[in-house]
């Protein structure tokens, strides 16, 4: 992380000033500079694209002034409504699921359930929509089962209910995984004390579990809210009509159908303004996180072993697994009906597979490194008791950018950068780089939500110890940071990989025939009537995602080892 | 030392060498750059066959740049401006013609299009038609025994039998249906949409999503083209999916190609536009782009094309009229479709 190991403390090291995090001054400045650089790069990347679009004098543009007409307000209202409800439901359902998984640690297949929860992220919206329809649709498994009982299609998902269902399908598992991470960071001593005091489940939830979760809720809720607010394909397919449209639909329409860049930018700003107002409200309404300090004792829970608690947990886990797995099973079963052997032998498919994997791996690595650097910088900036205004600004900007970047429509970034790069020659040459950067940007909020709480807890537990041992730079990373942060880092990588794999947007913007990704090929097959081929490709995509998830969720024993190493 | 360096830099050197030869080779030949949409150049599309056939006669190389769809094609041109590399733009439809002309990037083609026959008649000094299709409601014969026989029957029929349509804000078939309803109902279009609304299962962002829902069996009807059944009959040997013939007539989509003012070799670009209306190109189109040819083909069309719906009356609005009214008509559609 820095120029090298420093075992000697520098003589002018001021212990009092840097009470919480004692890293030496050079390293702190280096960390701050690196964080500022990453942040600056991201802000520049977004602003330059917006500027290029605004400065562009479009030929034959209609541009008839009024941006904020009744239509836009109606769309904005619906965006807020569906995103708020989706967020609320995802969070509410995620809490019992995360709690049940945290309590029941010993059973076979637990790690597979956790892996299952990353899969929805890796599915393109269209594939997920078809999977959901395969279960919940008019001709889906549920309605077919009800028909056998003599009921005529009692479930209709088209409308707000379908949008909520799809958003909960995508986001409940995400929220549950992030919360599970928080519950697993509760120090082992808490459970020992809880058991000694004979705490009942309600007290345990109130005094131990909820304090660990509630600090995460604003971040998770914010992330889900943004994902739902910018949802486009799902909202249109399942919404049942134009009454269900998001601002993102209007942005897409403005830029790609009407080609009115100023309107697209204005709508993007509206989207950012409306959503960030809500994010601030969420943050103000929720109390601050409470991070427990412990000696790194092995976590062993004593609750939920018997009786109703255990049965309840099993019920919650079973329902959650069914809810997530059934639509995936529907995707798999359509996939199996295609000619998988021919598809696997298809050179186009192989090329697309390799391209997708390379993009996913590169963008997720970049994303994790950049995010980790920014989080470190934020910690370093806020470490002194009275941080400088400049440093406070940096910290605030980092946490804001980690949220708001999702609200920048990729279509705006794509068009803007197309304009910027065109004078340099063939834009197709830059396509891979831009796709990697856009994917990296879109994964940043996810990675931030995974790494930030883990790094904060870790730093609170080990920073003083490391400083008193005089550990810094590479040595601290190797002996203190990596063993404890390995698990969240891998999880962040697998989230980012899955997102990037399932992403159609960034590639579609440049539409270069030289760069074909799996989702792009899937849409292309669908567009030429080959929907069975598309189903087969969706299966491949799911498999690749599963492999990456397995790598991203190592089995529990390694993690326990890590805890002990970290504490040693 | 040498040994250590070569394995490391070897691949880069090879790549640089390959790039250099690629560029020097292409500099010697004539290249015709054709901007088109993605499904034209996909492995199933007509692109490769068209390039091969044209390259035999022109002594040049055809190079495609493909974007998502026809609308995106125009956006790409606007973004690139006058310095675009495009010699030929192939894949705009008639609705986009007036907007495309307004950009000022296109040059009159100056070729003889007497052989071109498009229902409803379309001729233009800048754009050459290369295929067409009528919009149609495709239905699943296994579920629907009595499909609607007119747009009126579609609008007023049983709301329990659903149709999936595309969004006119984001897709060309969606805009096609909007114009179709407007052509038939005129001032009453809003009321017609308000009635049809109960039959609409959902409105998808594009054709692929709608057709995917339809073939999955979610709805027995979908808005597509009269030529869609030809694909199922020829490629899948099934006549399960058929187009419903509407007594009022059908709205047409005509796809066109044009040459740019910046074309590096105008004579070559003109040759390509003439080739596009010739029998070689026209014979490739039906079974690769699944649209109807606009001129004579080398062999008669496959039998399946004879079984398709051939509308007696064709609707087509001028692109100026569409450009002038599109926003108002979409607002009318939104208002009618958004009532709860």
């Amino acid at each position: 992380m820095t120029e090298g190991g420093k075992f000697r403390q520098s003589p002018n090291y001021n212990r009092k000033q840097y009470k919480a995090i004692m890293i030496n001054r050079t390293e702190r400045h280096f960390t701050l500079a690196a964080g500022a650089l990453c942040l600056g790069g991201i802000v520049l990347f977004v602003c330059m694209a917006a500027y290029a679009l605004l400065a562009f004098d479009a030929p034959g543009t209609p541009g008839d002034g009024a941006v904020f007409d009744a239509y836009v307000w109606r769309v904005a209202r619906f965006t807020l409504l569906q995103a708020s409800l989706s967020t609320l439901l995802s969070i509410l359902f995620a809490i019992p699921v995360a709690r049940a998984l945290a309590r029941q640690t010993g059973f076979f297949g637990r790690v597979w359930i956790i892996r299952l929860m990353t899969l929805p992220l890796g599915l393109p919206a269209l594939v997920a929509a078809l999977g959901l329809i395969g279960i919940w649709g008019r001709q889906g498994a549920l309605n077919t089962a009800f028909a056998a009982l003599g009921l005529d299609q009692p479930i209709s998902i088209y409308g707000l209910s379908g949008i909520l269902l799809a958003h909960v399908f995508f986001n409940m598992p995400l929220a549950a995984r992030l919360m599970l991470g928080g519950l697993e960071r509760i120090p082992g001593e808490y459970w020992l004390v809880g058991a000694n005091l004979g705490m009942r489940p309600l007290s345990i939830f109130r005094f131990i579990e909820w304090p660990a979760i509630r600090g995460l809720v604003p971040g998770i809720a914010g992330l889900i809210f943004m994902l739902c607010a910018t949802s486009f394909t799902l909202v249109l397919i399942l919404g049942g009509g134009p009454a269900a449209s998001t601002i993102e639909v209007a942005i897409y329409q403005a830029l790609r159908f009407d080609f009115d860049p100023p309107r697209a930018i204005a709508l993007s700003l509206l989207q950012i303004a409306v959503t960030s107002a809500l994010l601030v409200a969420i943050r103000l309404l929720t109390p601050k996180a409470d991070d427990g300090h412990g000696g790194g004792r092995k976590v062993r829970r004593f609750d939920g072993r018997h009786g109703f608690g255990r049965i309840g947990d099993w019920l919650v886990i079973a329902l959650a697994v069914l809810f997530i797995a059934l639509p995936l099973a529907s995707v798999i079963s359509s996939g199996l009906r295609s000619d998988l052997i021919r598809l696997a032998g298809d050179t186009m498919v192989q090329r697309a597979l390799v391209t997708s994997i390379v993009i996913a791996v590169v963008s997720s690595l970049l994303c994790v490194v950049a995010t980790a650097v920014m989080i470190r910088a934020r910690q370093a900036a806020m470490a002194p008791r009275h941080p400088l205004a400049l440093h406070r600004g940096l910290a605030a900007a980092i946490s804001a950018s980690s949220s708001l970047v999702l609200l920048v429509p990729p279509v705006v970034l794509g068009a803007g950068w197309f304009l910027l790069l065109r004078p340099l020659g063939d834009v197709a040459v830059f396509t891979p780089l831009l796709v990697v950067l856009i994917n990296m940007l879109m994964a940043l909020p996810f990675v931030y939500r995974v790494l930030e709480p883990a790094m904060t807890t870790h730093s609170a537990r080990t920073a003083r110890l490391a400083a008193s041992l005089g550990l810094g730079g590479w040595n601290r990373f190797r002996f203190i940071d990596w063993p404890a942060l390995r698990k969240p880092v891998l999880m962040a990588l697998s989230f980012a990989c899955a997102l990037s794999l399932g992403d159609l947007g960034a590639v579609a913007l440049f539409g270069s025939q030289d760069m074909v990704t799996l989702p792009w090929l899937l849409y292309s097959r669908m567009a030429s009537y080959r929907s069975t081929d598309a189903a087969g490709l969706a299966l491949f995509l799911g498999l690749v995602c599963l492999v990456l998830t397995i790598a991203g969720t190592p089995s529990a024993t390694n993690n326990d080892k890590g805890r002990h190493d970290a504490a040693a | 030392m040498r040994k250590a360096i070569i394995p490391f830099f070897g691949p880069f050197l090879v790549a640089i060498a390959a790039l250099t030869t690629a560029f020097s080779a292409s500099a010697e030949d004539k290249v015709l750059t054709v901007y088109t949409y993605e499904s034209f150049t996909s492995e199933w599309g007509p692109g490769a066959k068209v390039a091969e056939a044209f390259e035999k006669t022109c002594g040049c190389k055809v190079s495609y740049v493909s974007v998502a769809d026809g609308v995106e094609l125009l956006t790409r041109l606007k973004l690139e401006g006058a310095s675009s590399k495009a010699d030929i733009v192939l894949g705009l439809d008639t609705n986009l013609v007036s907007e495309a002309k307004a950009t000022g990037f296109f040059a009159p083609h100056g070729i003889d299009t007497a052989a071109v026959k498009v229902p409803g008649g379309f001729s233009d000094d800048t754009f050459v038609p290369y295929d067409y299709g009528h919009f149609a409601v495709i239905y699943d014969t296994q579920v629907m025994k009595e499909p609607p026989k007119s747009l009126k029957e579609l609008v007023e029929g049983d709301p329990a039998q659903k149709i999936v349509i595309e969004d006119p804000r984001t897709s060309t078939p969606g805009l096609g249906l909007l114009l179709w309803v407007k052509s038939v109902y005129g001032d009453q279009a809003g009321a017609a949409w308000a009635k049809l609304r109960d039959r609409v299962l959902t409105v998808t962002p594009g054709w692929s999503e709608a057709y995917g829902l339809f073939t999955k069996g979610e709805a027995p009807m979908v808005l597509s083209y009269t030529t869609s059944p030809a694909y199922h009959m020829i490629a899948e040997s099934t006549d399960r999916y058929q187009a419903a013939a509407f007594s009022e007539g059908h709205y047409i989509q005509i796809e066109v190609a044009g040459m740019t003012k910046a074309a590096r070799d105008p004579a070559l670009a003109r040759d390509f536009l003439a080739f596009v209306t010739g029998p070689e190109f026209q014979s490739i189109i039906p079974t690769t782009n699944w649209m109807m040819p606009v001129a004579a083909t080398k062999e008669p069309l496959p039998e399946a094309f004879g079984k398709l719906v051939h509308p007696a009356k064709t609707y087509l609005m001028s692109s100026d009229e569409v450009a002038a009214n599109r926003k108002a008509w979409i607002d009318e559609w939104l208002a009618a479709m958004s009532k709860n």
Side-chain angles (χ1 to χ4, degrees):
Chain A
M1 249 172 195
T2 61
E3 62 277 10
K6 281 202 172 81
F7 280 90
R8 284 178 302 112
Q9 287 181 13
S10 66
N12 55 354
Y13 187 72
N14 186 339
R15 264 170 198 277
K16 270 181 192 160
Q17 194 179 355
Y18 310 132
K19 199 174 172 191
I21 299 178
M22 294 190 252
I23 42 180
N24 76 44
R25 196 170 278 172
T26 344
E27 193 176 329
R28 178 162 180 266
H29 286 158
F30 182 81
T31 309
L32 285 172
L37 201 69
C38 287
L39 177 70
I42 290 168
V43 172
L44 211 63
F45 186 77
V46 173
C47 291
M48 280 174 75
Y51 174 76
L53 262 186
L54 277 177
F56 181 65
D57 185 22
T61 299
D64 52 354
V67 171
F68 302 114
D69 47 15
Y71 167 62
V72 168
W73 289 122
R74 202 173 56 223
V75 165
R77 218 167 39 232
F78 182 79
T79 306
L80 279 180
L81 172 75
Q82 64 85 8
S84 309
L85 286 175
S86 302
T87 308
L88 196 68
L89 290 176
S90 302
I91 297 275
L92 282 183
F93 290 134
I95 292 173
V97 174
R99 182 165 181 259
L101 280 171
R103 297 213 301 185
Q104 308 301 331
T105 50
F107 68 95
F108 175 77
R110 181 178 180 269
V111 68
W112 287 98
I113 292 176
I114 295 171
R115 285 168 182 165
L116 180 73
M117 297 176 122
T118 316
L119 285 187
L121 276 186
L123 293 181
L126 174 57
V127 173
L130 291 177
L132 284 165
I133 286 166
I135 302 303
W136 300 88
R138 269 163 49 97
Q139 307 296 330
L142 284 176
N143 273 325
T144 313
F146 280 120
L149 297 174
L151 292 163
D152 187 31
Q153 295 183 348
I155 300 172
S156 169
I157 66 165
Y158 299 95
L160 183 60
S161 55
I163 296 172
L164 297 182
L165 181 81
H167 284 161
V168 172
F169 170 75
F170 268 103
N171 298 313
M172 184 276 281
L174 172 72
R177 268 207 73 167
L178 291 172
M179 288 179 189
L180 183 61
L183 290 175
E184 285 177 344
R185 278 191 298 273
I186 295 174
E189 287 80 358
Y190 281 41
W191 302 117
L192 208 59
V193 172
N196 281 339
L197 292 173
M199 280 172 125
R200 306 188 62 82
L202 203 63
S203 313
I204 290 180
F205 182 73
R206 201 175 140 201
F207 295 112
I208 303 180
E209 291 168 326
W210 177 240
I213 293 176
R214 84 176 167 211
L216 299 173
V217 165
I220 301 174
L223 176 65
I224 295 177
F225 186 84
M226 285 184 296
L227 286 171
C228 298
T230 55
S231 181
F232 173 90
T233 309
L234 282 176
V235 168
L236 283 186
I237 293 181
L238 297 170
S245 303
T246 50
I247 304 178
E248 195 86 2
V249 175
I251 295 172
Y252 183 91
Q253 182 192 0
L255 204 52
R256 302 193 67 186
F257 227 68
D258 303 341
F259 198 69
D260 188 351
R263 183 178 161 91
I265 300 276
L267 288 169
S268 307
L269 289 176
L270 174 72
Q271 175 161 296
I272 292 174
V274 164
T275 311
S276 48
L278 216 106
L279 292 182
V280 169
I282 293 177
R283 206 160 273 281
L284 290 180
L285 283 175
T286 41
K288 216 182 156 316
D290 167 46
D291 263 313
H293 293 249
R297 165 181 286 274
K298 186 171 163 47
V299 175
R300 204 168 139 225
R301 293 189 63 158
F302 305 92
D303 55 336
R305 294 282 159 113
H306 309 285
F308 287 120
R310 196 180 158 95
I311 294 168
D313 285 349
W314 281 110
L315 203 66
V316 166
I317 292 172
L319 282 176
V321 167
L322 278 179
F323 179 71
I324 304 166
L326 281 179
L328 294 175
S330 157
V331 170
I332 293 170
S333 91
S334 334
L336 290 175
R337 259 174 267 148
S338 65
D339 191 348
L340 288 175
I341 295 166
R342 177 179 56 77
L343 279 178
D346 189 332
T347 45
M348 276 290 268
V349 174
Q350 293 166 354
R351 248 181 60 202
L353 195 68
V354 172
T355 309
S356 277
I357 293 176
V358 170
I359 291 175
V361 169
V362 174
S363 62
S364 58
L365 281 173
L366 277 176
C367 183
V368 167
V369 171
T371 314
V373 166
M374 291 202 298
I375 295 171
R376 288 275 300 153
R378 187 166 173 266
Q379 288 173 350
M382 299 306 282
R385 187 176 290 165
H386 303 293
L388 296 174
L390 178 72
H391 292 167
R392 272 207 308 275
L394 178 69
I398 285 173
S399 65
S401 72
S402 77
S403 304
L404 297 179
V405 78
L406 257 191
L407 296 173
V408 181
V411 67
V412 168
L413 289 178
W417 275 94
F418 186 89
L419 287 172
L420 285 170
L421 290 172
R422 229 174 40 80
L424 301 179
D426 190 1
V427 178
V429 177
F430 302 102
T431 307
L433 180 68
L434 282 177
V435 169
V436 163
L437 287 177
I438 292 178
N439 277 339
M440 172 196 146
L441 224 55
M442 297 300 134
L444 198 140
F446 293 79
V447 170
Y448 190 87
R449 298 298 180 290
V450 175
L451 289 185
E452 202 268 341
M455 285 175 70
T456 305
T457 307
H458 172 72
S459 141
R461 285 181 189 170
T462 61
R464 291 189 204 197
L465 181 71
S468 67
L469 290 174
L471 276 179
W474 172 247
N475 284 304
R476 195 193 53 224
F477 174 74
R478 198 176 139 202
F479 296 112
I480 308 280
D481 297 339
W482 178 243
L485 292 177
R486 195 179 69 109
K487 196 179 174 190
V489 163
L490 287 175
M491 179 171 155
L493 277 175
S494 75
F495 271 22
C497 272
L499 269 174
S500 165
L501 270 179
D503 176 68
L504 170 73
V507 178
L509 300 175
F510 303 98
S512 155
Q513 62 276 33
D514 306 321
M515 192 167 134
V516 176
T517 62
L518 218 43
W520 173 252
L521 196 62
L522 191 154
Y523 266 79
S524 147
R525 295 276 161 112
M526 264 197 113
S528 39
Y529 290 102
R530 267 93 187 163
S531 50
T532 31
D533 275 11
L537 293 179
L539 180 61
F540 285 163
L541 204 56
L543 285 177
V544 175
C545 207
L546 185 67
V547 170
L548 290 173
T549 314
I550 291 171
T553 319
S555 48
T557 42
N558 291 336
N559 171 52
D560 288 344
K561 186 173 163 285
R563 270 181 166 281
H564 285 296
D565 288 353
Chain B
M1 208 51 206
R2 264 181 80 107
K3 262 184 189 169
I5 286 172
I6 285 175
F8 203 77
F9 290 107
F12 294 101
L13 293 176
V14 170
I16 288 166
L19 277 175
T20 327
T21 40
F23 276 113
S24 55
S26 61
E28 284 160 21
D29 299 330
K30 281 195 289 182
V31 177
L32 182 75
T33 304
V34 179
Y35 277 32
T36 185
Y37 48 78
E38 192 270 337
S39 65
F40 194 87
T41 56
S42 79
E43 47 191 320
W44 316 101
K49 287 179 187 164
V50 165
E52 195 188 332
F54 188 64
E55 280 167 2
K56 270 184 204 154
T57 61
C58 71
C60 68
K61 205 180 160 328
V62 176
S63 152
Y64 291 112
V65 171
S66 58
V67 299
D69 53 36
V71 180
E72 182 68 14
L73 206 49
L74 192 55
T75 305
R76 170 64 74 99
L77 280 177
K78 286 177 179 170
L79 285 175
E80 291 191 344
S83 65
S84 171
K85 282 191 307 176
D87 298 315
I88 294 285
V89 176
L90 181 144
L92 301 174
D93 74 4
T94 42
N95 291 328
L96 296 169
V97 160
S98 105
E99 221 180 307
K101 279 186 184 168
T103 62
F105 298 148
F106 289 92
H109 56 69
I111 62 162
D112 178 19
T113 56
V116 173
K117 296 266 179 301
V118 186
F122 172 86
S123 80
D124 191 83
D125 62 348
T126 309
F127 291 101
V128 182
Y130 66 90
D131 68 14
Y132 74 89
H134 285 92
F135 292 111
V137 169
I138 305 295
Y139 67 98
D140 183 348
T141 54
Q142 291 185 1
V143 184
M144 278 198 107
K145 299 300 172 204
E146 287 182 15
K149 294 185 187 64
S150 62
L151 193 59
K152 191 169 185 295
E153 280 190 28
L154 176 73
V155 167
E156 292 171 5
D158 177 10
Q161 285 184 314
K162 300 287 185 189
I163 182 171
V164 181
I165 62 170
E166 295 87 350
D167 198 318
R169 290 171 296 173
T170 50
S171 83
T172 33
L175 185 60
L177 181 61
L178 185 86
L179 299 176
W180 191 2
V181 172
K182 196 77 204 171
S183 304
V184 173
Y185 281 89
D187 291 344
Q188 299 303 307
W193 277 113
K195 187 118 185 67
L196 180 59
R197 193 178 146 254
D198 294 337
R199 280 196 105 165
V200 173
L201 180 71
T202 193
V203 184
T204 65
W207 178 89
S208 303
E209 293 89 354
Y211 215 77
L213 284 180
F214 169 68
T215 49
K216 213 174 160 63
E218 272 297 285
M221 295 184 284
V222 66
L223 177 76
S224 184
Y225 297 92
T226 49
T227 42
S228 298
Y231 170 79
H232 297 290
M233 287 190 269
I234 294 169
E236 295 175 345
S237 320
T238 171
D239 48 11
R240 178 175 172 184
Y241 303 112
Q242 292 299 332
F246 281 3
S247 57
E248 297 98 337
H250 290 242
Y251 199 90
I252 196 171
Q253 179 174 38
I254 304 168
E255 297 194 290
V256 299
M259 56 185 276
T260 60
K261 280 185 186 155
R264 278 158 295 181
D265 187 342
L268 182 65
R270 211 163 285 126
D271 284 350
F272 185 79
L273 289 180
F275 168 80
V276 154
T277 56
E280 195 92 42
F281 182 97
Q282 290 296 315
S283 304
I284 297 170
I285 284 293
T287 54
T288 51
N289 219 28
W290 303 102
M291 292 288 265
M292 299 297 286
V294 295
T297 54
K298 281 194 294 184
E299 293 104 25
L301 288 177
E303 198 192 340
F305 279 81
K307 295 188 200 163
L308 300 180
V309 168
H310 294 283
K313 181 169 166 36
T314 292
Y315 293 104
L316 178 64
M317 289 185 193
S318 78
S319 74
D320 291 341
E321 193 181 353
V322 175
N325 294 302
R326 186 162 61 99
K327 189 171 183 308
W329 290 343
I330 285 181
D331 285 346
E332 179 186 57
W333 178 84
L334 280 171
M337 292 290 288
S338 299
K339 282 192 194 111
N340 286 311

